[in-house]
Amino acid sequence: MDNGMKTPKENKEQRAVLTWFRNRGYFIYAIPNHKGQREYDGAISGMPDLQVVLQGGKVIWIEMKRTKGGVLSDKQKLVHAHLRRLGHVVIVGLGGKDAVEQFKEMI
């Protein structure tokens, strides 16, 4: 049922996630991987949006998607699968609240 509210944009959700983590002392940063960047400049298409660096060398990757209509691209699926094969955790958050809840379940 449509309540007349628009689904928040991905970047707004991402800013909320960054704020949540930083307010709790986590080291988190965005992966700048914009369209137009070239691979020979170091860009890798499909990389998750955020990385959380934890103690002991552990990192958690977060891919932000809109709560409605957010889907992974084929390149994102490949990169996420590669990261997981290497033993990394990749969260796909359908909105900021979902991303934070998945993180809380992991720690």
Side-chain angles (χ1 to χ4, degrees), residues 23-94:
N23 285 346
R24 286 155 183 82
Y26 288 100
F27 183 72
I28 183 172
Y29 62 95
I31 308 296
N33 199 16
H34 307 286
K35 289 182 181 176
Q37 284 185 310
R38 298 168 300 241
E39 286 193 26
Y40 61 81
D41 288 333
I44 298 174
S45 183
M47 287 298 291
D49 298 307
L50 303 169
Q51 186 182 60
V52 185
V53 181
L54 302 173
Q55 293 215 248
K58 184 175 181 179
V59 297
I60 295 180
W61 301 87
I62 301 176
E63 178 68 48
M64 295 299 304
K65 292 296 175 191
R66 296 178 73 170
T67 55
K68 291 184 181 178
V71 295
L72 293 174
S73 70
D74 289 339
K75 286 185 179 183
Q76 288 172 323
K77 290 175 186 176
L78 288 171
V79 169
H80 295 185
H82 183 73
L83 290 169
R84 288 182 176 117
R85 278 193 303 275
L86 294 172
H88 290 256
V89 173
V90 180
I91 292 171
V92 178
L94 299 177

